[in-house]
Amino acid sequence: MAILRVENLNVVFDGFSAIENLSFEVEEGETLAIIGPNGSGKTTLFRTLLNVIPFKGLVEWDKKTRIGYVPQKIDIDRQLPMTVNDFLLAKASVNNLKPESIKAICAAVKLPDSLLQKNIGQISSGQFQRTMIAFALLGDPNVLLFDEPTASVDIAGEEEIYETLHRLQDQRNLTLILISHDLHLIYRHATKVLCLNKKMICFGEPMTTLTPKNLAKIYGHHPALFHHIHP
């Protein structure tokens, strides 16, 4: 069943075309990775899916959809005297959730209780990313939009973040839509990939879609593609 249907999507800013005639569908439970060069319209597409910018065309979510969103950047001063618990409690309060729900969510993303009393500025980038995932999961969404899951995480933490997301996907029946540049992780974890450069360049399963020819169309050159298959 399609949880999201996009048809003939067009987004224009002050005469500049950011997205042109884009159409695709996302099935419930899928993991869709969106790739493309800087300025290709990836974050604009997310903002459109969240209905925060004007557009023409159709963006239709299933009526039972509840969306959680993890942005690439968040406008928060990490030097503020705000603990991780305070940060999550603010979201819980807006959603009329009991404070106990915070501990359950933190356990789900493997954030220890001891971290809750630390200031936001005292935790590592990987811990902050997990905090943001916990923040997005409060309210029990069934769709998670994630802009660059590993942008601020070191190499050692990349796989952990993806493994966490897909463990949560299995446990909570989540549909994941990710913006990513990590092709090796896309091969391993995504069920579909949308190649975007204002227009759709290609769409389908990573193994058959991310060919050198298509990558050259997306990025405008012939990238060196090293594809490692692990059992």
Side-chain angles (χ1 to χ4, degrees), residues 1-85:
M1 182 183 74
I3 198 167
L4 169 65
R5 187 161 60 97
V6 176
E7 291 185 1
N8 299 319
L9 178 65
N10 288 271
V11 181
V12 178
F13 298 113
D14 297 326
F16 172 77
S17 182
I19 296 178
E20 300 176 0
N21 302 320
L22 180 62
S23 298
F24 66 94
E25 289 188 357
V26 179
E27 297 294 317
E28 185 178 1
E30 281 192 321
T31 299
L32 172 67
I34 302 169
I35 69 169
N38 292 335
S40 61
K42 302 185 299 297
T43 298
T44 296
L45 174 57
F46 261 29
R47 295 173 67 194
T48 303
L49 298 181
L50 292 166
N51 197 29
V52 297
I53 59 173
F55 63 88
K56 292 183 178 179
L58 175 71
V59 174
E60 183 177 66
W61 291 98
D62 180 80
K63 293 180 180 179
K64 297 180 181 178
T65 300
R66 302 177 305 280
I67 299 174
Y69 173 49
V70 183
Q72 183 178 353
K73 297 180 180 179
I74 183 171
D75 294 326
I76 182 173
D77 184 354
R78 291 183 64 183
Q79 301 308 313
L80 286 173
M82 175 188 292
T83 66
V84 172
N85 189 68

Side-chain angles (χ1 to χ4, degrees), residues 30-204:
E30 281 192 321
T31 299
L32 172 67
I34 302 169
I35 69 169
N38 292 335
S40 61
K42 302 185 299 297
T43 298
T44 296
L45 174 57
F46 261 29
R47 295 173 67 194
T48 303
L49 298 181
L50 292 166
N51 197 29
V52 297
I53 59 173
F55 63 88
K56 292 183 178 179
L58 175 71
V59 174
E60 183 177 66
W61 291 98
D62 180 80
K63 293 180 180 179
K64 297 180 181 178
T65 300
R66 302 177 305 280
I67 299 174
Y69 173 49
V70 183
Q72 183 178 353
K73 297 180 180 179
I74 183 171
D75 294 326
I76 182 173
D77 184 354
R78 291 183 64 183
Q79 301 308 313
L80 286 173
M82 175 188 292
T83 66
V84 172
N85 189 68
D86 292 336
F87 180 66
L88 296 175
L89 187 59
K91 172 74 176 288
S93 298
V94 169
N95 286 271
N96 296 317
L97 302 176
K98 295 180 179 180
E100 294 78 23
S101 61
I102 293 176
K103 286 191 175 183
I105 289 293
C106 286
V109 301
K110 296 186 177 180
L111 278 176
D113 289 347
S114 58
L115 204 72
L116 290 174
Q117 301 310 317
K118 287 190 175 182
N119 283 355
I120 289 290
Q122 294 177 326
I123 62 178
S124 69
S125 295
Q127 290 169 335
F128 185 70
Q129 192 70 296
R130 290 179 181 275
T131 299
M132 290 301 300
I133 297 172
F135 187 89
L137 289 174
L138 286 168
D140 194 28
N142 60 350
V143 175
L144 191 62
L145 302 184
F146 210 144
D147 192 347
E148 294 281 1
T150 58
S152 59
V153 180
D154 59 26
I155 294 175
E158 287 184 352
E159 190 66 47
E160 289 185 11
I161 292 295
Y162 274 88
E163 292 293 348
T164 296
L165 288 175
H166 289 284
R167 175 173 48 79
L168 292 169
Q169 183 178 33
D170 291 339
Q171 293 174 348
R172 295 169 175 264
N173 194 30
L174 288 170
T175 301
L176 299 178
I177 304 179
L178 315 170
I179 294 173
S180 181
H181 293 288
D182 300 315
L183 294 184
H184 66 292
L185 293 174
I186 290 171
Y187 273 114
R188 291 190 62 183
H189 296 288
T191 54
K192 294 284 180 62
V193 59
L194 167 61
C195 310
L196 183 65
N197 197 345
K198 295 186 181 180
K199 299 179 180 180
M200 180 189 291
I201 305 300
C202 50
F203 179 78

